[in-house]
Amino acid sequence: MNSMKLRSLLANAGIYIALAVLSILWLLPIVYLVITSFRGEPGAWLDGYIIPREWTFENYTRLFTDTSLFNYPRWFLNTLVVAVSSCAIATFFVLFTSYAFSRLRFKMRRPMMNIALVLGMFPGFMSVIAIYHLIKLFGLDQTLLALVLVYSGGAGLGYYIMKGFFDTIPTELDESAHLDGCTKWQTFTRITLPLSRPVITYTVLTTFIAPWVDFILASVIMKDNYNNFTIALGLFRMLERENVFRWWTAFCAGAVLVSIPIAGLFMVMQKNYVEGITGGAVKG
């Protein structure tokens, strides 16, 4: 019995050590980024030391005051508008597509599910040239509206995760609600949605993060429209050869600021994971 406990303790200790090492490896780049964002010395490479010899907040203020070459505030606002709009539209598409495939039964249901599943497996950048020519045909190239349409247009193809969650909700709840006089819309809003908070939260987070960090689609659609750049495009310009020495520390500061909305959104919405599971549905 003692040997079994010893083996169990050693196994648990090994797991904890492995997790600790992985955590350190994962945190090191973030720590370096944050430290560099407060560094007073210019340049991307410093020989012999990592901790700054001069600490300053100037890198952050520079992003919002020196906008002659890099208009960071405008790019940040552009990205926020695109991410919020795409998140709202994409979540709507995924929600209703998943609910229809989970609860409704119609003739072409399974073929449509299979087609959507196969199409959803192809990465979006494979069709980026065709998408750009279609957008240009309608006169929407180099606009923020084009980005919103691209990011949210194919969101319904990612229905399978939310549909799988809807399938776990017993249909008896729907039948009981109908017997109590609820319409299908009331059943959806008062029974299904409260129980689906965890997967809705997951969908909101993923559909917000995707346009927030994307570079490929934004670079193709925006081309050289400087004023409509997103954060990813703008920060990349800071790393070009003629700019990297003077703007490296400001780039790190901008990268830190980019992570704040994502972290804030996650902290605000993570409570829905627990509340959605334990809260139950509202009978009506």
Side-chain angles (χ1 to χ4, degrees), residues 1-59:
M1 188 67 180
N2 292 332
S3 61
M4 292 180 61
K5 287 184 178 180
L6 180 61
R7 284 196 298 267
S8 178
L9 290 174
L10 291 175
N12 291 334
I15 294 174
Y16 291 141
I17 293 172
L19 291 176
V21 172
L22 291 175
S23 300
I24 293 173
L25 293 176
W26 181 76
L27 289 173
L28 277 177
I30 300 176
V31 173
Y32 171 76
L33 187 72
V34 174
I35 291 176
T36 307
S37 69
F38 291 101
R39 196 178 74 197
E41 306 95 300
W45 304 103
L46 296 176
D47 295 331
Y49 67 97
I50 296 178
I51 303 299
R53 295 174 178 172
E54 179 185 351
W55 295 84
T56 179
F57 200 74
E58 177 64 24
N59 298 320

Side-chain angles (χ1 to χ4, degrees), residues 14 39 167 170 217 222 238-239 248 251 263 273 283:
R39 196 178 74 197
D167 290 341
L217 293 175
M222 284 305 166
M238 294 182 185
L239 299 180
W248 169 250
F251 163 83
Y273 285 109
K283 183 178 179 181

